[in-house]
Amino acid sequence: MYFVRKLKLGVSDQLQLLSRAAGKLYSKTLVSFWRVVRKKGLWLKPATLMRWFPNDPENRLHAHSADAVVQSFFASLKSWRERRKTDPNARPPRRRRYYYKIQWKSSAIKVVDGKLRLSNGRGKEPLVIPWVWDTPVWVEIDWDGKQYELRACYKIVDAPPKGEKEEGGVAGVDLGEVHLAVAHDGEQTYIANGRLLRSKRRYQNKLKSTLSRLLARKRRGSRRYRRVLASGRKQLARLNDQIRDILHKQTTRLVSTLYARGVQTVVIGDIRNIRVSATRVSGTESFYGKKANQKIHQMVHGQARHYITYKAERLGMRVVLQDKRYSSQTCPACNKRNKPKGRGHRCGCGFRFHRDGVGAVNLRRTYLGLGPVVGVMASPIGLRFQPHALCSSAGRSHPAV
Ligand SMILES: [Zn+2]
């Protein structure tokens, strides 16, 4: 498995030249490939084109970076051939590129004295970027719509094989509607607060409905229409960024807390097959209709699950998905199913616990095949959102947590 660190680079002459060089090479590859198909009826192999074009016309790129451009073309060709099996509208890669992403393989990547040095071949000026992290195995720089974005890929150490699950701690993680995530590691329960996230999402829904109402009153394509649209998109993009920021910071915090507690296995309650009551979460009437609304809520869950998964795996923990049906209603002490009322989980057998922690306790119990919980459990610890927390996505000058 891999994980990716992203960094915004702005714009520079050097980047423009390199990206332009990659664009020229990509277009040349594309044109030659289709010309041979047209004239000779032959589908060339990547190796042939790499031999034809060992570099871009101005020889600006590292030889391996040039190969990567050719390989990228063949990668999109391959993905089109896969897609067209199911999608009759799939289009082959035909468009020439003025600019194209620049890629560096491990042979051209070095970290020296706090600087990432990306070689462009002997005798040519390398690309140098301030760097406080490890050496990546792959780097690509691409245009993100406003500026250049660097993506550094790292290989992740594989988790220990199955069967050793009793070694190290096990934590159950319940992704919830009220809280972003609740984790239980056998002794402690942690709640990653989701209040701010919910309020942002509610605002997002509200904004969407206001926007569609405003747009409905304008003539399509008119100056005012376009103005409302542009301003709405800007506001929605900002909200999206904020939501992603909260998700990242809260999941990083939760995962590093569990890691510090010696957790080796993270059991996430799988909600993919479970219907979510969407309107209750959003708080507003739906802009999209019920079905789409549901999808959106599941998307945030899915995103949280994805973030927790890769962040845990990055630290060498194993992640297991487990069916979470009834896990939040079942009493951990007597296995009776209770309809939750109010903030606490109360059971006839006398068991009492914070309602949102019960799911995580049960997920862990089921995974380990444990019997009933006995005794009094420690009350949950809340992990509040800290806007200034650092995580790998937080920006250019911050080391990863
Ligand atoms: Zn009970």
Side-chain angles (χ1 to χ4, degrees):
M1 224 198 96
Y2 291 87
F3 83 91
V4 177
R5 168 165 286 131
K6 290 179 183 173
L7 206 61
K8 301 290 182 190
L9 296 180
V11 186
S12 78
D13 289 345
Q14 192 186 15
L15 284 170
Q16 291 281 65
L17 281 174
L18 286 169
S19 179
R20 176 78 184 105
K24 278 181 184 166
L25 180 57
Y26 180 89
S27 305
K28 234 172 125 178
T29 308
L30 175 132
V31 167
S32 311
F33 177 85
W34 290 117
R35 185 180 293 141
V36 173
V37 171
R38 199 170 61 240
K39 297 203 165 161
K40 310 264 185 200
L42 279 178
W43 284 58
L44 294 176
K45 293 212 162 68
T48 315
L49 278 159
M50 282 193 265
R51 211 165 338 123
W52 286 6
F53 308 126
N55 215 320
D56 64 286
E58 277 121 38
N59 195 25
R60 288 189 198 279
L61 299 172
H62 189 285
H64 291 169
S65 303
D67 289 348
V69 172
V70 176
Q71 283 157 354
S72 297
F73 168 74
F74 280 93
S76 50
L77 200 66
K78 195 177 159 195
S79 85
W80 160 63
R81 296 178 78 177
E82 272 305 309
R83 243 180 311 123
R84 74 171 170 178
K85 285 178 194 160
T86 51
D87 179 9
N89 295 322
R91 297 240 166 271
R94 289 275 191 185
R95 197 161 63 85
R96 296 181 208 192
R97 306 296 178 101
Y98 195 82
Y99 293 111
Y100 195 67
K101 66 181 172 195
I102 325 149
Q103 302 159 84
W104 286 269
K105 299 188 179 185
S106 57
S107 51
I109 304 169
K110 255 186 204 153
V111 173
V112 189
D113 300 332
K115 288 195 171 76
L116 179 70
R117 193 176 169 283
L118 301 169
S119 165
N120 294 316
R122 195 168 296 160
K124 285 171 270 179
E125 200 193 332
L127 188 68
V128 180
I129 295 154
W131 200 254
V132 290
W133 303 287
D134 295 341
T135 314
V137 294
W138 174 273
V139 173
E140 68 175 50
I141 294 180
D142 202 0
W143 187 254
D144 76 346
K146 285 179 196 149
Q147 57 179 314
Y148 284 99
E149 182 182 75
L150 179 145
R151 295 161 206 148
C153 300
Y154 292 85
K155 207 169 169 67
I156 284 174
V157 202
D158 290 326
K162 267 210 155 105
E164 301 168 21
K165 68 180 184 187
E166 278 70 34
E167 272 181 45
V170 174
V173 175
D174 187 22
L175 302 172
E177 295 175 23
V178 177
H179 299 291
L180 181 60
V182 181
H184 178 77
D185 68 357
E187 290 171 26
Q188 270 309 342
T189 308
Y190 301 93
I191 299 182
N193 195 299
R195 191 177 294 264
L196 186 63
L197 187 76
R198 262 187 310 151
S199 89
K200 295 277 180 207
R201 295 241 315 279
R202 223 175 279 145
Y203 181 53
Q204 198 179 31
N205 281 343
K206 203 172 148 191
L207 187 63
K208 275 172 187 160
S209 69
T210 314
L211 215 65
S212 64
R213 199 153 16 93
L214 278 176
L215 284 179
R217 267 186 276 160
K218 313 256 179 296
R219 190 160 44 81
R220 209 183 161 76
S222 68
R223 202 167 60 94
R224 286 184 178 180
Y225 181 91
R226 274 181 284 134
R227 211 149 78 189
V228 170
L229 197 65
S231 130
R233 281 198 182 135
K234 200 169 160 189
Q235 292 176 66
L236 284 173
R238 200 176 135 87
L239 270 173
N240 268 334
D241 285 349
Q242 288 172 345
I243 287 171
R244 201 178 46 236
D245 182 57
I246 298 170
L247 269 174
H248 263 304
K249 282 172 182 166
Q250 286 295 65
T251 50
T252 296
R253 183 111 184 274
L254 185 74
V255 170
S256 42
T257 307
L258 294 177
Y259 182 70
R261 298 269 307 175
V263 169
Q264 281 289 307
T265 307
V266 179
V267 183
I268 302 182
D270 195 4
I271 51 152
R272 277 178 300 184
N273 303 320
I274 289 155
R275 289 188 313 187
V276 185
S277 110
T279 36
R280 202 176 80 212
V281 190
S282 76
T284 49
E285 271 316 300
S286 163
F287 168 56
Y288 290 103
K290 249 185 189 157
K291 273 207 173 138
N293 212 353
Q294 240 170 41
K295 260 186 212 155
I296 290 156
H297 293 303
Q298 284 171 349
M299 214 168 64
V300 171
H301 278 148
Q303 214 163 16
R305 189 182 63 220
H306 171 62
Y307 287 168
I308 292 173
T309 304
Y310 86 73
K311 284 172 184 181
E313 282 176 346
R314 192 160 78 182
L315 292 169
M317 296 191 244
R318 186 181 22 236
V319 178
V320 185
L321 290 182
Q322 189 175 280
D323 192 346
K324 74 164 244 174
R325 243 172 299 170
Y326 307 123
S327 64
S328 50
Q329 293 168 22
T330 309
C331 168
C334 70
N335 286 335
K336 203 185 143 203
R337 231 180 270 155
N338 300 304
K339 274 264 176 290
K341 270 181 221 139
R343 298 288 297 148
H345 182 101
R346 285 151 194 265
C347 179
C349 72
F351 180 84
R352 261 149 214 231
F353 194 52
H354 195 291
R355 173 179 162 181
D356 304 301
V358 171
V361 173
N362 280 325
L363 282 168
R364 178 177 184 276
R365 226 162 48 93
T366 318
Y367 175 76
L368 289 172
L370 293 179
V373 169
V374 281
V376 182
M377 302 217 308
S379 49
I381 298 171
L383 303 176
R384 276 178 60 199
F385 172 63
Q386 296 176 324
H388 301 294
L390 302 183
C391 66
S392 57
S393 64
R396 50 204 323 180
S397 56
H398 301 306
V401 173

